[in-house]
Amino acid sequence: MGISNTIYVINLNIKVDMITPIATRLTKGSDLKKEIQRIVTQNQIEAGTIASCVGCVSKLSIRLAGANSTLTREEPFEIVSTMGTLTANHQHIHISVANAKGDVIGGHLLEGTIIDTTAELVVFRYSEMTFNREMDESTGYTELIVKTSSILNG
């Protein structure tokens, strides 16, 4: 018995123009969180995600798990992962970075995370969706609410 080379393609029937990629290069001294907020505002993003962000920071400011403590460190870090949901009023972003030893730390991205030499950022804007946040009494936090247009609802 040989290994099957079958390739499966799933047709999601999504129009290509429903997703708009926005790519930029951030430069030394830029505040990563503020730059993402600026991009959201400038591009009128009501529903978006971070597709990719690679680069380095000289100062890291994050909120750690449990939402009670923050961490600020000034040393060189490589950005190894950045993910987030973007709304017009709130950007929920997680970042992981590695130090010179390869140790990785991460948490909620806060203002004050400063780009060192560069960061290459790609954001996706979803034109047929709206993301909002509403208080969820069961978690005690504002949680994501997704609304889709009639095009996606059939």
Side-chain angles (χ1 to χ4, degrees), residues 31-33 36-37 50 59-72 81-85 90-97 105-113 133 141-143:
D31 184 305
L32 180 57
K33 178 81 185 266
I36 293 169
Q37 291 168 342
I50 295 175
K59 182 179 178 185
L60 176 69
S61 185
I62 57 175
R63 184 173 42 114
L64 301 172
N68 293 323
S69 59
T70 61
L71 173 71
T72 301
S81 175
T82 310
M83 306 178 80
T85 51
H90 182 83
Q91 294 82 48
H92 183 187
I93 303 166
H94 290 189
I95 186 169
S96 296
V97 296
I105 57 173
H108 290 268
L109 178 67
L110 299 175
E111 289 183 8
T113 297
R133 293 201 161 269
Y141 297 101
T142 57
E143 302 292 357

Side-chain angles (χ1 to χ4, degrees), residues 9-143:
V9 177
I10 300 171
N11 183 356
L12 297 176
N13 198 22
I14 295 177
K15 290 174 35 181
V16 173
D17 63 351
M18 290 181 179
I19 301 174
T20 303
I22 301 161
T24 190
R25 179 178 166 257
L26 306 177
T27 55
K28 186 177 184 83
S30 300
D31 184 305
L32 180 57
K33 178 81 185 266
K34 288 181 179 179
E35 287 298 312
I36 293 169
Q37 291 168 342
R38 183 186 60 77
I39 289 166
V40 168
T41 301
Q42 181 179 334
N43 292 279
Q44 300 176 338
I45 296 174
E46 293 186 26
T49 56
I50 295 175
S52 176
C53 182
V54 295
C56 52
V57 298
S58 58
K59 182 179 178 185
L60 176 69
S61 185
I62 57 175
R63 184 173 42 114
L64 301 172
N68 293 323
S69 59
T70 61
L71 173 71
T72 301
R73 291 210 180 141
E74 289 194 49
E75 62 182 278
F77 290 102
E78 285 290 324
I79 299 169
V80 296
S81 175
T82 310
M83 306 178 80
T85 51
L86 311 174
T87 72
N89 298 316
H90 182 83
Q91 294 82 48
H92 183 187
I93 303 166
H94 290 189
I95 186 169
S96 296
V97 296
N99 66 15
K101 295 179 184 176
D103 298 326
V104 176
I105 57 173
H108 290 268
L109 178 67
L110 299 175
E111 289 183 8
T113 297
I114 306 301
I115 303 301
D116 191 2
T117 55
T118 194
E120 301 161 2
L121 175 67
V122 180
V123 170
F124 286 160
R125 177 179 181 260
Y126 304 99
S127 62
E128 301 299 328
M129 301 175 81
T130 303
F131 293 168
N132 289 302
R133 293 201 161 269
E134 294 179 7
M135 179 56 75
D136 182 331
E137 298 303 326
S138 68
T139 67
Y141 297 101
T142 57
E143 302 292 357

